[in-house]
Amino acid sequence: TTLSELKIATNLLLGKRVLYLVPTHALEHQVAKDLNRLWNNVVSDVIDKDGEYSVFDEEDGFILVMTPEKCLTILELDSERLSDIGLVIFDEFHLINGANKRSFDAMTVILELLDRFPEVDYLFLSAMVSNGRQIADWISRVTQRDCLLLDNLWKPTCQLQGCIVYDA
């Protein structure tokens, strides 16, 4: 999260927009709310692109938060709306691992974005990827750019685990 906030700040300073992909509408709303709170004094246009087939706004915001499915729709119908993107963040990136429609859509949107916008910075976030080195190597090959893997077991979250055992 901290790294994504720093990357967003960099793009704000560069005058570039951010595409923030999340796998579910619930997370979409939460991320948009958190980003609005974080950037409230700097930028007031974090746009939550709810619904895969909703009408596009005439003016899009600085940070676009949406699902991969919504992004695929925009890429198909009006990809110029994303032409000034400087950063793509894909939260819960492990979603690409699976054999279901959501996984296929997630991988398809990544491939489309990498193909259409190779100069854009990409930040893939997940706490559940075990083959990070392979993914980083693949991204390096596809983009012809260095891909930095940050694989740290330390998580800056409060995680309390416990067990209650009763005699009965």
Side-chain angles (χ1 to χ4, degrees):
T1 302
T2 302
L3 182 59
S4 67
E5 292 167 357
L6 292 171
K7 291 292 290 179
I8 290 170
T10 300
N11 277 269
L12 174 64
L13 292 171
L14 294 172
K16 295 286 191 175
R17 294 189 316 147
V18 175
L19 174 59
Y20 202 118
L21 299 173
V22 293
T24 65
H25 292 301
L27 189 54
E28 181 179 9
H29 297 304
Q30 181 63 46
V31 166
K33 184 175 118 185
D34 292 346
L35 290 173
N36 267 316
R37 189 173 335 125
L38 178 67
W39 298 107
N40 189 32
N41 295 327
V42 180
V43 61
S44 61
D45 53 356
V46 176
I47 304 297
D48 179 353
K49 289 292 197 184
D50 190 13
E52 276 72 43
Y53 305 105
S54 60
V55 177
F56 302 128
D57 301 315
E58 286 302 315
E59 290 294 323
D60 284 329
F62 172 72
I63 303 172
L64 303 172
V65 182
M66 66 184 75
T67 62
E69 293 84 1
K70 178 64 173 195
C71 188
L72 284 172
T73 302
I74 292 173
L75 286 170
E76 182 64 30
L77 299 177
D78 193 5
S79 64
E80 282 300 308
R81 285 197 178 261
L82 302 179
S83 63
D84 60 347
I85 295 291
L87 172 65
V88 174
I89 299 173
F90 196 128
D91 203 347
E92 305 295 339
F93 178 67
H94 56 269
L95 173 69
I96 67 165
N97 182 26
N100 56 56
K101 175 140 177 38
R102 295 212 84 150
S103 298
F104 294 130
D105 288 344
M107 180 53 86
T108 302
V109 79
I110 289 168
L111 293 172
E112 282 291 325
L113 289 168
L114 288 170
D115 183 53
R116 293 181 192 213
F117 308 106
E119 71 288 348
V120 168
D121 285 343
Y122 291 86
L123 178 61
F124 300 110
L125 304 172
S126 177
M128 300 184 343
V129 171
S130 60
N131 62 338
R133 173 50 41 212
Q134 288 176 309
I135 293 169
D137 291 344
W138 172 73
I139 292 169
S140 290
R141 282 192 309 276
V142 169
T143 63
Q144 298 295 303
R145 295 167 46 196
D146 290 336
C147 180
L148 177 63
L149 171 65
L150 299 175
D151 190 7
N152 192 335
L153 294 178
W154 178 76
K155 307 284 186 270
T157 59
C158 180
Q159 296 179 350
L160 179 62
Q161 297 179 346
C163 181
I164 299 175
V165 179
Y166 295 97
D167 289 336

